[in-house]
Amino acid sequence: MAKTKTAFFCQNCGTQYAKWVGQCSACKEWNTVVEEVVQKEEKSSWKAASSSKRKIAKPLRVNEISIDKEIRLNTFDLEFNRVLGGGLVPGALVLLGGEPGVGKSTLILQIALKLPYKTLYVSGEESQKQIKMRADRIHPNSETCFILTETKTQNIFQQIEVTEPDIVVIDSIQTLHSDYIESAAGSISQIRECTAELIKFAKETNTPVILIGHITKDGSIAGPKILEHMVDTVLQFEGDRNYVYRILRALKNRFGSTAELGIYEMQGGGLRQVNNPSEILISKNDEGLSGTAIASTVEGMRPLMIEIQALVSTAVYGTPQRSTTGYNAKRLNMLLAVLEKRAGFKLGAKDVFLNITGGISVDDPAIDLAVIAAILSSNEDIPIEKGVCFAAEVGLAGEIRPVQRVDQRILEAEKLGFTAIYVSKNNKIGLKNPKISIEMVSKIEDVVTGLFG
């Protein structure tokens, strides 16, 4: 018997060492290097038990490679399709991560139950009866979804050869283990080896594989960082437990944009697709309230109208507080400095709290003007006129800067019944005869005058 070979791996980033060290030189984390047993025999193909003769890959010219048959598989979920870039690509590996209880397994099971393709759902965390109980709430009559409870990759591949599924779902990658690695399931060696076997299977058979992954306390995918490099698409499923809405983002996508966004509503019967998120992100207040402003933002190809709430009050304690939810705190401090320096508003001794409703986070600089409008509205205790929205970036000199795709933002505001939108004077607007009033401004002073007189 060959001598067992061990190596040391960083549990945070996956860097390998010849001996134990206290601090990882790659990610600078302390006490993350552990010893693991690595493979002690030659690895074989995912289907070595059934086929010993394999074709040797040959290089082809780019113009000789045919992509006529590479048609994306429709998941019949508009939000999921949008984030993927149009559907599942044959042979692609999709990694879905998210916090415990956010609804990762529910989302993938819901998609698997409604697919017309033969789908093998492999669960290493729940029994078949537990999955059946959840499936009865979502879509009980499915003829094409097969449930397998197994954690050993060799047994999974045997069932795949028998079932011949069109799509494979693994829930979760951290529960799998391979015979070629002696370390425990969930270790860096096992995650890397199991993922490599699944990649080999997906590319050789042109079968898309969806992996569900756990995340660490800091929000990153559990396991080595190389796991995210190995797969084709990395999706993040996020949402606050205090809200019913869930957001699906693409952190990496080899076959589409990473700027797309999918929104779901958690219900008793599963996750409902939200086709018009602007309506849920804006509160239905008939009374005018100070400190609220509506911004027109764009996520991927989708324009959204979001509500920004601000509260400005006198600082009770010595140091004024600056708190944000869903918005960059450093950018808030910058905008407050611009207001004080360029517009003359004394906010240095006041507490400022900012919130984006709906539990979403927005990085679009086009909401700067709405943030400033909400802050000034709260500071003056004067509500912004109903039907007014904003789409512009604010510079350090107090100038109102243009934003991209302003026509889409204006059309979205017009569709939802807004009567006026503030945009930069330098924006080139291609719309003809818009029904919404377009206010062109160049400085913060123009906005203050237009809103509060």
Side-chain angles (χ1 to χ4, degrees):
M1 183 175 177
K3 183 179 178 181
T4 302
K5 184 181 177 183
T6 62
F8 294 85
F9 295 93
C10 172
Q11 290 183 307
N12 186 55
C13 66
T15 305
Q16 183 175 346
Y17 295 90
K19 61 180 182 179
W20 184 86
V21 292
Q23 184 188 33
C24 175
S25 59
C27 64
K28 306 302 180 185
E29 291 290 330
W30 287 91
N31 299 323
T32 57
V33 178
V34 296
E35 184 178 16
E36 292 183 4
V37 179
V38 295
Q39 66 189 61
K40 57 179 183 178
E41 56 180 299
E42 185 181 354
K43 288 187 286 186
S44 51
S45 172
W46 63 272
K47 54 177 182 178
S50 61
S51 176
S52 58
K53 295 182 179 179
R54 297 180 56 212
K55 293 182 178 180
I56 299 175
K58 295 181 180 180
L60 294 174
R61 293 189 183 92
V62 173
N63 55 8
E64 293 177 347
I65 302 173
S66 174
I67 58 171
D68 296 337
K69 298 181 181 180
E70 299 296 326
I71 302 173
R72 290 179 184 258
L73 299 178
N74 185 8
T75 64
F76 295 89
D77 186 302
L78 295 177
E79 301 296 303
F80 199 68
N81 279 348
R82 176 186 288 111
V83 176
L84 288 176
L88 281 170
V89 175
L93 245 78
V94 179
L95 175 63
L96 175 67
E99 292 185 357
V102 76
K104 304 183 298 295
S105 300
T106 301
L107 173 64
I108 299 302
L109 179 61
Q110 176 176 303
I111 292 172
L113 291 171
K114 295 179 180 179
L115 284 174
Y117 322 109
K118 187 184 290 186
T119 306
L120 180 63
Y121 188 98
V122 182
S123 176
E125 299 178 342
E126 296 176 287
S127 67
Q128 291 174 319
K129 291 183 179 180
Q130 289 173 322
I131 298 174
K132 171 63 176 173
M133 289 170 61
R134 195 188 314 148
D136 285 340
R137 298 198 311 267
I138 300 172
H139 189 74
N141 300 319
S142 176
E143 299 284 338
T144 57
C145 184
F146 295 81
I147 307 297
L148 172 66
T149 54
E150 181 61 64
T151 57
K152 187 175 176 181
T153 57
Q154 282 71 31
N155 294 343
I156 292 172
F157 289 133
Q158 287 180 7
Q159 295 302 322
I160 285 175
E161 290 187 61
V162 173
T163 311
E164 295 183 348
D166 298 314
I167 297 175
V168 176
V169 176
I170 305 293
D171 183 13
S172 64
I173 186 62
Q174 279 82 9
T175 61
L176 298 191
H177 66 92
S178 172
D179 280 344
Y180 301 118
I181 301 289
E182 288 193 356
S183 55
S187 64
I188 289 175
S189 301
Q190 284 286 8
I191 293 175
R192 185 166 48 204
E193 172 64 22
C194 294
T195 305
E197 290 181 14
L198 288 166
I199 288 176
K200 207 168 191 177
F201 157 73
K203 303 305 179 186
E204 289 181 6
T205 63
N206 243 15
T207 305
V209 178
I210 301 175
L211 309 177
I212 297 177
H214 299 162
I215 65 169
T216 59
K217 61 182 180 180
D218 61 351
S220 58
I221 304 289
K225 192 68 179 175
I226 194 174
L227 175 62
E228 297 180 41
H229 293 286
M230 293 168 72
V231 300
D232 298 306
T233 305
V234 180
L235 304 179
Q236 184 82 6
F237 201 45
E238 57 193 43
D240 195 325
R241 292 190 179 186
N242 298 320
Y243 294 94
V244 296
Y245 300 109
R246 302 288 186 266
I247 296 172
L248 184 67
R249 299 179 187 271
L251 305 182
K252 169 191 174 181
N253 193 356
R254 288 175 178 160
F255 311 113
S257 170
T258 57
E260 293 297 340
L261 192 75
I263 300 181
Y264 295 88
E265 181 183 3
M266 179 67 80
Q267 296 180 340
L271 291 156
R272 183 183 72 85
Q273 304 171 47
V274 179
N275 297 321
N276 190 6
S278 297
E279 294 183 358
I280 66 169
L281 297 175
I282 300 176
S283 58
K284 306 295 187 295
N285 288 326
D286 295 330
E287 301 177 3
L289 300 175
S290 64
T292 63
I294 308 299
S296 181
T297 183
V298 173
E299 288 284 347
M301 298 300 294
R302 166 189 280 180
L304 299 175
M305 304 299 291
I306 60 173
E307 181 177 335
I308 296 173
Q309 298 177 332
L311 176 62
V312 180
S313 61
T314 304
V316 179
Y317 306 103
T319 305
Q321 299 183 63
R322 305 282 188 263
S323 178
T324 64
T325 303
Y327 188 71
N328 191 327
K330 291 182 179 179
R331 193 159 188 88
L332 173 64
N333 291 331
M334 184 201 77
L335 294 178
L336 292 175
V338 171
L339 280 176
E340 186 137 357
K341 177 75 174 179
R342 305 296 180 186
F345 288 92
K346 305 299 180 184
L347 302 172
K350 295 186 177 181
D351 294 336
V352 180
F353 304 95
L354 194 75
N355 175 47
I356 296 179
T357 60
I360 71 169
S361 299
V362 180
D363 296 325
D364 188 1
I367 70 172
D368 286 354
L369 191 56
V371 170
I372 281 183
I375 292 171
L376 294 180
S377 173
S378 178
N379 185 54
E380 302 295 326
D381 201 18
I382 300 174
I384 295 173
E385 186 178 346
K386 192 175 181 182
V388 176
C389 59
F390 306 87
E393 182 183 353
V394 177
L396 291 178
E399 80 278 16
I400 308 301
R401 300 174 61 83
V403 294
Q404 294 181 345
R405 294 160 62 184
V406 68
D407 290 350
Q408 275 186 277
R409 302 173 195 265
I410 294 172
L411 287 173
E412 179 72 8
E414 183 180 305
K415 185 176 73 174
L416 293 176
F418 285 88
T419 56
I421 182 170
Y422 280 78
V423 298
S424 172
K425 199 171 184 178
N426 298 320
N427 258 124
K428 294 180 180 179
I429 299 173
L431 297 176
K432 295 181 179 180
N433 302 321
K435 296 180 182 179
I436 187 173
S437 174
I438 302 174
E439 305 292 336
M440 312 287 284
V441 290
S442 58
K443 294 183 180 179
I444 291 180
E445 293 89 330
D446 302 338
V447 181
V448 174
T449 304
L451 292 176
F452 310 111

